[in-house]
C-alpha cells in the first residue's frame, strides 16, 4: 500500500530560527515528490518538485532534499518568518497512466515572534 | 495565465441535500482531480478526470460523482449529504497527468448541518 508519513505532526519555533520537516514514503513506482505549503482554509501552493534523479531543490528560504534509495525527503526552512506558519504537505507521485498521488497528513508549523 | 478557480467559496447545506461544486482548471491543463480535506487532516483523493473521462478514484462512495467538460472545467456532485461530508473540497489541475505537479484552487468550504 502506498503511504506517505510526515514528521513531526506539529512544530513550534521562534522567528528567525531554522527547522527541518521530514517525509518518508513507500510509493512505488516513484515518479516525483512535491512539497506544498497550505495556509489555513486555503489551497496548497507548490514549493518544490523533485524527480528521482534530483537530490536537492531550493525555492528561496525553502530547500528540499530527496534520497530515493532510503525513500526519504526533508524540507529545510531557513531564517523562519511569521508568514511561514502553515501546514506543509509532502505529496508523492507514481508513474503510469492512471496516476493517483499519495498525500501525507502534513506538518503544522507555527512560528512565534 | 489564469490559475485554478473554484466556486462557491463557502456553502452551507442540510443533511440529505445534494450539492454541486465547480472548478475551472488552469489554462492549458487537461487533468482535474478533486480532494476532500477534513479539518486538521491532509487532502484525501476523491477522483481524477483526464480528457472528460474518470481515470482514477479514491475510497469514496458512489454518491460522490463528477464531470469534466470539453473546456476541462469540472464539477463535483455529492448526493444525500451527511454531516461527515463537511470539509474543504479542493480541485487541482495539471497537464498530462502528474509530470509537472498540480495547481490547486483555494477550495470550497462545505458545511453540512
Amino acid at each position: 500500500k502506498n503511504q506517505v508519513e510526515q514528521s513531526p505532526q506539529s512544530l513550534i519555533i521562534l522567528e528567525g530560527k531554522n527547522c527541518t520537516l521530514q517525509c518518508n514514503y513507500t510509493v512505488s513506482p516513484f515518479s516525483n515528490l512535491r512539497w506544498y505549503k497550505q495556509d489555513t482554509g486555503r489551497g496548497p501552493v507548490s514549493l518544490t518538485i523533485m524527480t528521482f534523479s534530483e537530490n536537492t531543490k531550493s525555492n528561496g528560504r525553502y530547500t528540499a532534499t530527496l534520497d530515493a534509495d532510503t525513500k526519504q525527503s526533508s524540507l529545510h526552512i531557513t531564517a523562519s518568518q511569521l508568514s511561514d506558519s502553515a501546514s506543509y504537505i509532502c505529496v508523492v507521485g507514481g508513474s503510469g497512466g492512471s496516476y493517483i498521488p499519495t498525500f501525507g497528513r502534513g506538518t503544522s508549523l507555527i512560528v512565534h515572534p | 495565465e489564469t490559475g485554478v478557480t473554484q466556486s462557491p467559496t463557502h456553502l452551507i447545506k442540510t443533511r440529505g441535500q445534494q450539492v454541486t461544486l465547480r472548478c475551472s482548471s488552469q489554462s492549458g491543463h487537461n487533468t482535474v482531480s478533486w480532494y476532500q480535506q477534513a479539518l486538521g487532516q491532509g487532502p484525501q483523493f476523491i477522483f481524477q478526470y483526464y480528457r472528460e473521462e474518470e481515470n482514477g478514484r479514491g475510497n469514496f462512495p458512489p454518491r460522490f460523482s463528477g464531470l469534466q467538460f470539453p473546456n476541462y472545467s469540472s464539477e463535483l456532485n455529492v448526493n444525500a449529504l451527511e454531516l461527515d461530508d463537511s470539509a474543504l473540497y479542493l480541485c487541482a489541475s495539471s497537464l498530462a497527468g502528474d509530470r509537472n505537479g498540480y495547481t490547486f484552487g483555494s477550495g470550497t468550504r462545505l458545511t453540512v448541518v
Side-chain angles (χ1 to χ4, degrees), chain A residues 56-67:
Chain A
T56 188
K57 183 74 69 79
S58 291
N59 178 1
R61 295 180 296 102
Y62 301 100
T63 299
T65 64
L66 173 65
D67 185 333

Side-chain angles (χ1 to χ4, degrees), chain B residues 32-112:
Chain B
V32 173
S33 52
W34 285 91
Y35 303 83
Q36 181 194 67
Q37 187 176 26
L39 200 61
Q41 303 294 317
Q44 298 295 311
F45 176 79
I46 301 175
F47 43 57
Q48 176 173 283
Y49 281 84
Y50 171 64
R51 292 185 175 179
E52 302 179 58
E53 296 288 332
E54 183 182 297
N55 74 340
R57 188 178 181 93
N59 189 26
F60 279 81
R63 60 189 185 85
F64 285 79
S65 63
L67 284 172
Q68 187 180 31
F69 300 100
N71 65 356
Y72 302 127
S73 65
S74 178
E75 287 183 353
L76 164 65
N77 299 290
V78 186
N79 294 322
L81 284 167
E82 301 177 359
L83 298 179
D84 285 348
D85 295 334
S86 296
L88 180 69
Y89 287 84
L90 296 165
C91 168
S93 73
S94 67
L95 177 63
D98 184 49
R99 295 173 190 172
N100 298 305
Y102 285 80
T103 301
F104 282 87
S106 294
T108 293
R109 171 68 64 186
L110 172 65
T111 302
V112 182

